[in-house]
């Protein structure tokens, strides 16, 4: 499993999870791949996103939010590149989403999609496109 560039948000402290999520989003210039939920399939997606995150000096990082409810209010305040992306995340239809350096949701991997290597890289690339 590849977890070198992954931050796992705590399950037992929603306030700490929210605070940590906000720090990663607003205080650090990163392209963030945020995986939502738990279970073996989510763990595999976290690992896959970590494989494609690159070296420590590259802007790609992974956040694993096992409990969406802890960061729902924070997600509601994010910008989105296309209308409906934020609602897909908040409505529970998303397995993962990516944020650009400008803190906007650029892509959502839905629960019904196959999150293979191509799809993970595509999500990262969509977040890296300059407006």
């Amino acid at each position: 499993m590849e977890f070198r560039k992954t931050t796992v948000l705590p399950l037992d402290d929603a306030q700490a999870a929210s605070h940590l999520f906000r720090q990663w989003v607003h205080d650090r210039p990163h392209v963030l791949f945020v995986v939502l939920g738990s279970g073996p399939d989510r763990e595999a997606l976290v690992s896959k996103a970590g494989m494609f995150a690159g070296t420590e000096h590259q802007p790609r990082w992974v956040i694993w939010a096992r409990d969406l409810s802890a960061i729902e209010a924070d997600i509601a305040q994010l910008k989105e590149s296309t209308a409906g992306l934020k609602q897909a995340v908040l409505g529970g239809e998303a397995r993962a989403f990516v944020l650009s350096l400008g803190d906007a949701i650029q892509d959502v991997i839905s629960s019904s999609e196959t999150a293979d290597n191509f799809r993970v890289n595509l999500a990262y690339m969509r977040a890296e496109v300059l407006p």
Side-chain angles (χ1 to χ4, degrees):
M1 294 293 169
E2 180 61 55
F3 292 107
R4 180 178 37 88
K5 289 184 70 177
T6 300
T7 296
V8 180
L9 300 182
L11 277 174
D12 59 347
D13 187 343
Q15 188 174 4
S18 175
H19 178 72
L20 189 56
F21 181 76
R22 285 192 313 273
Q23 278 186 316
W24 273 100
V25 172
H26 301 296
D27 297 342
R28 301 175 185 195
H30 296 302
V31 171
L32 297 174
F33 193 106
V34 182
V35 178
L36 304 168
S38 59
D41 63 321
R42 298 309 200 269
E43 185 175 334
L45 182 54
V46 167
S47 180
K48 190 172 293 191
M51 280 188 335
F52 296 110
T55 67
E56 296 290 323
H57 303 292
Q58 293 175 308
R60 293 178 175 185
W61 287 80
V62 182
I63 293 178
W64 190 3
R66 296 170 292 167
D67 180 10
L68 174 63
S69 66
I71 60 169
E72 278 180 321
D74 303 309
I75 293 170
Q77 295 176 13
L78 294 173
K79 299 174 274 184
E80 57 190 339
S81 65
T82 305
L85 292 179
K86 192 184 321 182
Q87 187 52 44
V89 173
L90 294 173
E93 301 164 30
R95 179 184 303 194
F97 66 96
V98 290
L99 292 169
S100 66
L101 288 172
D103 305 334
I105 299 173
Q106 294 291 334
D107 194 13
V108 171
I109 298 177
S110 73
S111 297
S112 62
E113 283 184 81
T114 301
D116 58 11
N117 292 342
F118 175 78
R119 185 64 181 94
V120 169
N121 272 305
L122 180 61
Y124 271 127
M125 288 187 291
R126 286 180 174 163
E128 294 166 338
V129 172
L130 296 176

